[in-house]
């Protein structure tokens, strides 16, 4: 791709303000750690959005100029404005890429786009070892990743995970306590590509780990649409035939 990729990173930025141990790992917030993982050569404008400013930082103008939106949310999903969620969803349906991280599985935006209200899963905060397996090695998001690698400590998520069947399962994770989890999944909705990555509980330095950073970088390249604004040639509605009927 010749043009630069514009990325907007939403982080609710709540735990960083309320938990010193999180601030110690991410002094500038999770959004800045994620930004440092973006593909350096290909990245254009990087915008940040937090819960406090999301009405303006996720404006229509900002979204229209965004190729890939990254979403980290956990404790404050319900505080995100419905209007913002809807304009983000519409941009995904019209081509903007979306990367949803960790507990963003329960965000209004992921629920809106993937059609599930609950996104049930099992979880445990036990600082367990997570072993990721690259189960689709030919996929662009798996480029440069080993067959398997360990995240020393992360929150445990376990199946069943109440998502629609992924279009592609790129990573599968085994946790020390016995659970397995579909940790790297893709979907396409409308013209937009969506990637979900399980890793990244706020109290562990997961987004500083090289393998996870490689996944984030790959995912941005994969999710970026060929053109920033994708307009359907023929929208819905009653339309005349291209050729008259015999
Ligand atoms: Zn978590």
């Amino acid at each position: 791709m010749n043009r630069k990729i514009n990325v907007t990173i939403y982080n609710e930025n709540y735990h960083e303000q309320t938990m010193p141990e999180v601030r110690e790992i991410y002094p500038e917030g999770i959004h800045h750690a994620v930004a440092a993982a973006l593909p350096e050569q290909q990245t254009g404008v990087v915008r940040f959005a937090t819960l406090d400013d999301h009405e303006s930082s996720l404006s229509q103008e900002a979204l229209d100029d965004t190729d890939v939106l990254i979403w980290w949310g956990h404790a404050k999903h319900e505080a995100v404005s419905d209007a913002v969620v809807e304009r983000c969803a519409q941009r995904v349906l019209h081509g903007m890429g979306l990367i949803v991280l960790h507990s963003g599985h329960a965000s209004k935006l992921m629920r809106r786009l993937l059609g599930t209200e609950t996104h049930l899963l099992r979880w445990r905060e036990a600082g367990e070892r997570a072993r990721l397996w690259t189960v689709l090695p030919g996929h662009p998001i798996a480029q440069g990743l080993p067959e398997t690698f360990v995240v020393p400590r992360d929150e445990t998520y376990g199946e069943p995970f109440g998502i629609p069947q992924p279009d592609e399962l790129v990573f599968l994770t085994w946790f020390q306590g016995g659970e397995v989890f579909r940790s790297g999944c893709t979907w396409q909705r409308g013209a937009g590509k969506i990637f979900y990555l399980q890793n990244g509980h706020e109290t562990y330095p997961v987004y500083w780990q090289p393998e996870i950073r490689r996944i984030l970088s790959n995912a941005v390249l994969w999710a970026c649409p060929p053109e920033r604004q994708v307009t359907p040639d023929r929208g819905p509605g009653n339309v005349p035939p291209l050729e008259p009927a015999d």
Side-chain angles (χ1 to χ4, degrees), residues 7 36 51 56 58 82 108 110 133 163 168-169 186 199 229:
V7 181
L51 180 63
S56 59
L58 297 176
D82 288 340
K108 283 183 179 178
M110 187 145 157
W133 287 88
I163 46 172
E168 298 159 314
L169 179 62
T186 78
N199 301 94
Q229 293 289 340

Side-chain angles (χ1 to χ4, degrees), residues 102 155 157 201-202:
H102 189 54
E155 183 177 7
Y157 278 10
H201 186 68
E202 64 274 6

Side-chain angles (χ1 to χ4, degrees), residues 113-160:
L113 284 165
L114 295 181
T116 39
E117 270 308 302
T118 47
H119 279 278
L120 293 174
L121 52 77
R122 292 177 179 168
W123 60 278
R124 175 167 67 243
E125 276 190 54
E128 289 175 317
R129 186 165 70 246
R131 176 172 285 283
L132 278 82
W133 287 88
T134 303
V135 292
L136 200 56
H139 196 278
I141 299 177
Q143 202 185 329
L145 271 300
E147 181 184 67
T148 180
F149 67 94
V150 165
V151 173
R153 293 201 302 155
D154 206 340
E155 183 177 7
T156 298
Y157 278 10
E159 298 280 348

